[in-house]
């Protein structure tokens, strides 16, 4: 099992920046591709970003491309999501998860999930 704990969420003003962290424990963290998902009020959970286990390849949803950056520090068993130029549309609960197989943008391929951290961005 892998345990994931997100932190760094909180209310921010539009245009501001926030950095989320996801600390992993349990099974070796460095062997997993990692993803960030979010679920906005009244919407389905959606992919935000993904990073391979080596950190050499990243994927971003079109809605966040150019504003968000995913990174990881395997020595610290931690994955990060740097969020810049936040918009009210970014308001959601953000989750990190470990990817096992399948398309990196599909949540069903992720097997371990954190508890989520809220990011409200008032309009």
């Amino acid at each position: 099992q892998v345990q994931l704990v997100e932190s760094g969420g909180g209310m921010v003003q539009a245009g501001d920046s926030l950095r989320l962290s996801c600390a992993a424990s349990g099974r070796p963290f460095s062997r997993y591709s990692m993803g960030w998902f979010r679920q906005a009020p009244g919407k389905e959970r959606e992919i935000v970003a993904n990073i391979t286990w080596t950190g050499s390849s990243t994927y971003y949803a079109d809605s966040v491309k150019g504003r968000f950056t995913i990174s990881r520090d395997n020595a610290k068993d931690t994955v990060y999501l740097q969020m810049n130029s936040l918009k009210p549309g970014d308001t959601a609960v953000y989750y990190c998860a470990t990817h096992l197989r399948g398309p990196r943008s599909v949540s069903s391929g992720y097997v371990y999930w954190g508890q989520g951290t809220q990011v409200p961005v008032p309009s």
Side-chain angles (χ1 to χ4, degrees):
Q1 295 283 329
V2 174
Q3 295 80 47
L4 304 173
V5 179
E6 301 96 335
S7 62
M11 182 175 291
V12 294
Q13 295 182 337
D16 286 355
S17 298
L18 194 66
R19 192 187 201 193
L20 305 182
S21 298
C22 174
S25 62
R27 297 291 177 86
F29 168 80
S30 62
R31 308 298 294 184
Y32 290 97
S33 174
M34 297 292 298
W36 285 96
F37 286 77
R38 68 185 183 185
Q39 188 165 19
K43 296 185 178 180
E44 298 294 322
R45 189 172 298 183
E46 64 178 356
I47 185 68
V48 176
N50 175 279
I51 186 167
T52 58
W53 73 271
T54 64
S56 62
S57 178
T58 57
Y59 166 90
Y60 297 95
D62 288 342
S63 59
V64 307
K65 191 174 296 183
R67 299 188 297 119
F68 291 11
T69 302
I70 188 171
S71 62
R72 68 192 298 163
D73 186 342
N74 288 343
K76 297 181 178 180
D77 290 343
T78 302
V79 62
Y80 305 95
L81 185 68
Q82 177 67 44
M83 304 184 293
N84 298 329
S85 301
L86 283 161
K87 306 174 181 179
D90 297 319
T91 296
V93 178
Y94 285 73
Y95 301 87
C96 66
T98 58
H99 185 245
L100 181 63
R101 59 175 56 89
R104 63 203 306 189
S105 63
V106 178
S107 63
S108 61
Y110 294 75
V111 295
Y112 302 114
W113 293 79
Q115 82 286 352
T117 185
Q118 294 188 84
V119 180
V121 186
S123 60

